[in-house]
Amino acid sequence: GRNSERTTKLYHFALSHFQTFLSTSEYKDYNIESILTPLNQKIINVYSLLNKFVGYLMTREYPINTNTKLSPGSISVYIAGVRSYLEYHHIDISPNKFKKRVTLPKKYYSNGEGIDAEDIRALLLGCTNTRLKVFLLVLASSGMRATEALSLRNCDVDFSRSPTKVHIKPETAKTKQGNNDYISDEATKELKKFIDSKYAKTNYVPQELIFSMVK
């Protein structure tokens, strides 16, 4: 949790599912804390427990859509969270034994096609919100992630460079390493126009987020 708020939430969901699983299964006499003792004492087999937990997760549905089951990716993340919890409490889990005795659902991959210039042009032409349009232009031009663009401050953009340089802070980058991206002349023109109009009636604040709502 010290390094990632998202990981904290995912592990919270994992342990919540694990608690519900215990309370509705043959392990109903235990909770996520009391089951640690029989696991450490080998009274309960950890691989059998985790395999049954996988089966339980495969029957679960997303809270926001009762017709959609948990994806194989979500199940793998939840299992990883519970494994981490158990190993933190000194319950040894052999990777080799886990692979042989715990069957995770298969992940299926498709060769998705990226959007082309025509798709991007159609998106921009159909966008009537100025802030969103500039945001999409910056994304399309730089290739940065949406969360990285949303974290950009006024002082992170260097309009004096050609092409315009945009600095991404380490704490907002997925790799946790700061880097620089560059945007096209068209994106530069629209971004500068957007920033100028945003501060037409208020003071310019270098540390303010570019795409924050106008106060």
Side-chain angles (χ1 to χ4, degrees):
R2 292 174 181 170
N3 296 325
S4 172
E5 182 180 348
R6 184 171 182 271
T7 299
T8 304
K9 291 179 180 178
L10 288 174
Y11 276 38
H12 170 76
F13 293 148
L15 293 178
S16 296
H17 276 298
F18 190 49
Q19 175 63 63
T20 304
F21 159 69
L22 294 175
S23 65
T24 57
S25 67
E26 62 190 90
Y27 307 102
K28 60 184 178 181
D29 293 332
Y30 302 99
N31 57 39
I32 61 173
E33 292 182 347
S34 62
I35 202 168
L36 297 174
T37 299
L39 284 171
N40 267 312
Q41 296 175 349
K42 312 295 184 183
I43 297 173
I44 294 177
N45 183 281
V46 66
Y47 305 105
S48 176
L49 173 70
L50 290 174
N51 196 48
K52 290 175 182 177
F53 181 44
V54 171
Y56 163 84
L57 290 175
M58 291 176 69
T59 67
R60 297 300 90 191
E61 298 175 340
Y62 285 107
I64 59 174
N65 187 346
T66 56
N67 295 318
T68 305
K69 301 291 185 182
L70 290 176
S71 69
S74 295
I75 292 174
S76 294
V77 169
Y78 294 158
I79 291 296
V82 172
R83 278 187 65 180
S84 178
Y85 168 73
L86 297 178
E87 289 174 329
Y88 176 82
H89 288 284
H90 312 294
I91 297 170
D92 294 328
I93 299 176
S94 164
N96 189 44
K97 288 184 178 179
F98 177 85
K99 185 176 180 180
K100 290 181 177 179
R101 301 186 62 180
V102 179
T103 306
L104 293 171
K106 289 185 177 181
K107 298 179 182 179
Y108 296 95
Y109 301 93
S110 60
N111 296 323
E113 296 182 1
I115 61 176
D116 56 21
E118 288 301 320
D119 295 325
I120 294 173
R121 188 173 293 107
L123 284 171
L124 293 174
L125 289 175
C127 184
T128 57
N129 183 291
T130 302
R131 186 166 69 109
L132 178 58
K133 187 172 183 177
V134 175
F135 178 71
L136 292 176
L137 263 174
V138 170
L139 289 183
S141 176
S142 65
M144 69 179 71
R145 297 175 179 86
T147 52
E148 293 172 340
L150 288 172
S151 301
L152 291 177
R153 302 164 301 173
N154 293 319
C155 60
D156 293 327
V157 182
D158 186 358
F159 288 111
S160 67
R161 300 285 294 271
S162 182
T164 298
K165 184 175 75 171
V166 179
H167 178 66
I168 300 175
K169 298 181 296 180
E171 56 267 32
T172 60
K174 184 177 182 180
T175 59
K176 301 305 177 185
Q177 294 182 349
N179 59 79
N180 296 319
D181 273 327
Y182 297 87
I183 59 177
S184 66
D185 292 342
E186 182 183 7
T188 295
K189 178 182 177 181
E190 295 301 322
L191 180 60
K192 195 172 189 311
K193 186 191 301 183
F194 171 73
I195 293 175
D196 289 343
S197 64
K198 183 177 177 181
Y199 295 100
K201 297 181 180 180
T202 185
N203 294 328
Y204 175 83
V205 183
Q207 298 296 325
E208 189 170 80
L209 295 174
I210 293 176
F211 295 107
S212 63
M213 297 294 289
V214 180
K215 297 178 181 179

